[in-house]
């Protein structure tokens, strides 16, 4: 006896007949992910931009010097000593502030973006503006460069984290894949003959014909012959004659 195939038609049949297993597996995954995503506290991102430029009294300063010196300001912003000093002023927990503050210099410019992620939009914007003001103050001791706040942080309208819809979409995809895998494994472990492909795959013998359901066969009363039924019976007869290699057969067993 041949084994049932593992191709695309078999997988489609497994999903067709075991669709309820896909739902049973996917539904808890999606619901659990949705509940988890909704339980996460929202976080808001606020950003302020500080521009680093040469001091007018310092004479001519090359652009290379700005690119070299600008990272110094980034290090100052994210330094533990800076955050420890400003945390009481902002009334923020030092760990939350340390985890939420980032700064970077835009390529080939002296613009520094200070970003802060905190649980409320007001706190995030306030922290970003305080850090930007502190950088401007810090530049007062720089003999070559000066910092200027060019874009203060505004309160964001929507949270930046967590990505609830993305989490739910990913959970739906994972749930469907897991459900399809379970359905296919169950169908492989407990196969049933449901289609003509199953007969050919399990027995190893070709299917010579398929007779469709018809009222001409079910009813007790006389019905006109279904055209599709007549075509199927004629096809079966031709295939039987070919299978017999032209030899007359008195008996054909159908099981």
């Amino acid at each position: 006896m041949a084994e049932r195939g593992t191709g695309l038609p078999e997988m489609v049949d497994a999903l067709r007949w075991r669709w309820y297993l896909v739902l049973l597996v996917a539904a808890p995954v999606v619901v659990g992910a949705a509940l988890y995503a909704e339980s996460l506290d929202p976080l808001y991102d606020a950003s302020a931009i500080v521009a680093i430029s040469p001091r007018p009294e310092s004479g001519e300063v090359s652009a290379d010097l700005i690119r070299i010196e600008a990272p110094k300001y980034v290090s100052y912003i994210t330094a533990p000593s800076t955050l420890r000093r400003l945390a009481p002023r902002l009334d923020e927990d030092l760990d939350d502030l340390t985890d939420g503050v980032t700064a970077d210099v835009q390529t080939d410019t002296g613009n520094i973006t200070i970003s802060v992620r905190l649980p409320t939009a007001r706190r995030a914007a306030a922290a970003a503006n305080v850090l930007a003001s502190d950088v401007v103050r810090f530049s007062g001791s720089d003999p070559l460069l000066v910092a200027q706040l060019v874009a203060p942080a505004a309160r964001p309208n929507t949270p930046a984290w967590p990505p609830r819809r993305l989490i739910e979409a990913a959970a739906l995809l994972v749930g469907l894949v897991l459900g399809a895998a379970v359905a296919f494994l169950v169908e492989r472990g407990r196969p049933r003959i449901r289609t003509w492909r199953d007969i050919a795959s399990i027995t190893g013998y070709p299917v010579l014909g398929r007779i469709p359901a018809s009222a001409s066969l079910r009813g007790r009363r006389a019905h006109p012959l279904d055209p599709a039924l007549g075509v199927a019976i004629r096809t079966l007869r031709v295939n039987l004659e070919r299978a017999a290699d032209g030899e007359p057969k008195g008996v054909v067993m159908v099981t």
Side-chain angles (χ1 to χ4, degrees):
M1 181 178 291
E3 291 186 357
R4 187 181 293 247
T6 58
L8 182 59
E10 288 74 18
M11 296 183 66
V12 172
D13 285 340
L15 294 178
R16 177 186 176 187
W17 298 111
R18 304 283 185 176
W19 59 268
Y20 58 91
L21 286 179
V22 179
L23 294 182
L24 286 176
V25 174
V29 174
V30 174
V31 172
L35 293 176
Y36 169 74
E38 293 299 327
S39 68
L40 297 174
D41 294 329
L43 296 176
Y44 294 81
D45 285 351
S47 299
I49 299 178
V50 175
I52 306 297
S53 58
R55 287 187 176 276
E57 64 273 14
S58 62
E60 185 177 354
V61 177
S62 67
D64 290 337
L65 179 61
I66 296 178
R67 285 195 293 269
I68 293 172
E69 292 291 326
K72 173 181 66 176
Y73 288 86
V74 173
S75 299
Y76 172 79
I77 295 167
T78 57
S81 58
T82 302
L83 299 178
R84 188 178 300 109
R85 176 169 51 83
L86 296 178
R89 176 180 170 184
L90 293 168
D91 195 22
E92 295 289 349
D93 182 76
L94 179 59
D95 293 336
D96 293 342
L97 196 61
T98 301
D99 295 337
V101 173
T102 59
D104 60 86
V105 182
Q106 298 179 13
T107 305
D108 296 329
T109 69
N111 295 335
I112 300 176
T113 302
I114 304 171
S115 301
V116 181
R117 174 173 290 184
L118 287 174
T120 68
R122 179 190 62 80
R123 291 163 58 185
N129 288 327
V130 168
L131 285 168
S133 299
D134 194 67
V135 171
V136 173
R137 181 199 61 78
F138 173 73
S139 69
S141 60
D142 193 331
L144 299 177
L145 303 178
V146 61
Q148 181 182 4
L149 178 62
V150 296
R155 295 183 183 182
N157 296 323
T158 57
W161 192 91
R164 292 189 174 92
R165 299 300 170 261
L166 181 60
I167 294 174
E168 293 167 358
L172 176 60
L173 179 60
V174 172
L176 291 177
V177 172
L178 290 177
V182 171
F184 183 67
L185 291 176
V186 170
E187 184 67 15
R188 289 277 296 172
R190 301 176 61 185
R192 296 180 183 178
I193 297 178
R194 295 190 178 98
T195 67
W196 66 271
R197 279 194 297 266
D198 296 339
I199 299 174
S201 176
I202 293 177
T203 64
Y205 293 101
V207 175
L208 298 181
R210 290 181 289 159
I211 308 301
S214 174
S216 301
L217 299 178
R218 292 195 304 267
R220 294 183 177 180
R221 297 180 181 180
H223 290 274
L225 184 63
D226 188 348
L229 180 62
V231 172
I233 292 176
R234 287 192 294 270
T235 301
L236 175 60
R237 175 183 176 180
V238 171
N239 290 337
L240 284 172
E241 291 176 348
R242 290 178 179 176
D245 294 330
E247 296 293 332
K249 303 293 183 181
V251 177
V252 176
M253 183 179 68
V254 179
T255 182

